[in-house]
Amino acid sequence: MKDVQEVRDLARHIRIETLKMLTGLGFGHYGGSMSVVETLAVLYGDVMRIDPRKPDWQDRDYFVLSKGHAGPALYATLALKGYFPVSELQTLNQNGTRLPSHPDRLRTTGVDATTGSLGQGVSIAAGMALSHKLAGRTNRVFCILGDGELNEGQCWEAFQFIAHHNLHNLTLFIDYNKQQLDGTLDEVIKPFDLAGKFSAFGFDVQTIKGDDIVAISEAVTPVRHAEERPLVVILDSIKGQGVKYLEQLANSHHLRLTPDVKLEIENAIAKLEATHV
């Protein structure tokens, strides 16, 4: 990887800006935004071929946030990489904003796909990857899905399509943080053996700690070739990852802040700002 320290620092700043954004708004999807921070930092800080000065560059790599409720983390990443001013993050979900609660490619510079209806983003990513493959282009596509999102049957239809067409230019990440809106995965619908299921669906599978920047980079940096199966990376993550207070909550999927909760998160922001990783 190019510079581990630089990517770790980017992750810290993504986390800080995401927390500030949501806390300024007073509510939002904290837990699932935090658990994808390191993956976004690796993709945008180390792996993906991008140029923020030319967001529509035809040779760029594409990113789809299928779990669109983590949009604030994506916005923080894009702003920090220079797609738009960091100050604009404070307009999240406000009247006239370019930053709606879920990503909208027609409104936000740098967003490649409109997502939010769970299960649909991965299908968009599959279509992108097939288009690039058929045209002989070298663009790569990366997609993050939520583990609760896998309850949607459309996901598994898309996975079968991806494997059938051998879309080795598409890499999937499963944010396996073990919680969803209505409770834990085991309470809602047990995921059973995710790695085994993906392998049976025709994927190569790696399971990696969701905050292990080096391991994430090593998994996805090599460009996969036609003889290789599509790759899925299962991120063994924690809801609220990187913020001890959020990690310890019974459910941090969506929070509406009370004064006490706001104080806890403000303290977490201050601690992150004082930390130089």
Side-chain angles (χ1 to χ4, degrees), residues 10 20 27 41 67 92 111 129 144 182 206 209-210 266 272:
L10 176 59
K20 285 183 176 179
F27 61 89
K67 49 169 285 180
L92 175 71
V111 169
I144 298 179
D182 293 325
Q206 293 193 38
K209 284 290 185 185
E266 287 175 342
L272 283 165

Side-chain angles (χ1 to χ4, degrees), residues 5-276:
Q5 181 65 34
E6 186 176 310
V7 176
R8 283 182 178 149
D9 202 43
L10 176 59
R12 182 170 66 90
H13 282 98
I14 293 170
R15 186 163 277 115
I16 289 169
E17 295 300 334
T18 304
L19 290 172
K20 285 183 176 179
M21 204 184 329
L22 291 170
T23 304
L25 187 63
F27 61 89
H29 291 97
Y30 280 87
S33 292
M34 294 294 100
S35 55
V36 298
V37 164
E38 278 74 16
T39 302
L40 288 169
V42 168
L43 291 178
Y44 281 88
D46 183 53
V47 173
M48 288 174 58
R49 184 172 57 186
I50 57 172
D51 186 347
R53 298 166 300 178
K54 297 188 291 183
D56 296 324
W57 179 36
Q58 291 187 344
D59 293 332
R60 74 188 185 279
D61 292 334
Y62 287 68
F63 173 74
V64 178
L65 183 65
S66 196
K67 49 169 285 180
H69 52 279
L74 175 59
Y75 297 152
T77 306
L78 293 173
L80 289 164
K81 292 302 294 183
Y83 284 89
F84 52 85
V86 172
S87 59
E88 194 170 337
L89 295 175
Q90 293 308 309
T91 70
L92 175 71
N93 215 20
Q94 314 231 353
N95 289 339
T97 186
R98 295 196 300 167
L99 307 178
S101 59
H102 294 67
D104 184 336
R105 71 176 184 84
L106 299 180
R107 297 177 71 178
T108 310
T109 304
V111 169
D112 290 320
T114 300
T115 56
S117 184
L118 296 179
Q120 294 186 3
V122 65
S123 295
I124 296 171
M128 289 175 171
L130 180 60
S131 171
H132 294 316
K133 182 179 179 181
L134 291 175
R137 296 188 291 262
T138 60
N139 311 65
R140 300 175 73 187
V141 183
F142 299 89
C143 178
I144 298 179
L145 299 97
D147 49 6
E149 183 176 6
L150 301 186
N151 294 351
E152 300 283 355
Q154 180 171 348
C155 291
W156 297 95
E157 293 175 3
F159 300 152
Q160 191 170 357
F161 177 92
I162 291 163
H164 172 77
H165 289 284
N166 191 30
L167 300 181
H168 55 276
N169 56 342
L170 170 58
T171 297
L172 304 180
F173 295 90
I174 308 302
D175 180 20
Y176 185 45
N177 60 39
K178 300 130 194 118
Q179 291 186 15
Q180 57 189 100
L181 175 62
D182 293 325
T184 67
L185 296 190
D186 283 347
E187 291 171 333
V188 181
I189 296 181
K190 289 183 180 179
F192 296 99
D193 180 5
L194 276 184
K197 287 198 289 189
F198 275 105
S199 181
F201 264 72
F203 284 78
D204 286 337
V205 186
Q206 293 193 38
T207 300
I208 292 169
K209 284 290 185 185
D211 61 353
D212 191 336
I213 281 172
V214 174
I216 295 169
S217 177
E218 289 177 347
V220 300
T221 297
V223 174
R224 299 180 72 76
H225 301 289
E227 67 276 8
E228 296 180 282
R229 305 201 304 176
L231 174 66
V232 60
V233 178
I234 299 173
L235 300 164
D236 183 9
S237 59
I238 304 171
K239 204 91 167 184
Q241 188 167 280
V243 179
K244 189 61 66 179
Y245 172 74
L246 294 175
E247 290 180 356
Q248 293 173 344
L249 289 180
N251 193 333
S252 62
H253 184 86
H254 185 282
L255 298 178
R256 188 168 292 275
L257 303 189
T258 64
D260 287 346
V261 173
K262 183 177 181 181
L263 181 60
E264 290 283 358
I265 295 174
E266 287 175 342
N267 288 339
I269 292 170
K271 186 176 292 186
L272 283 165
E273 288 182 324
T275 302
H276 297 281

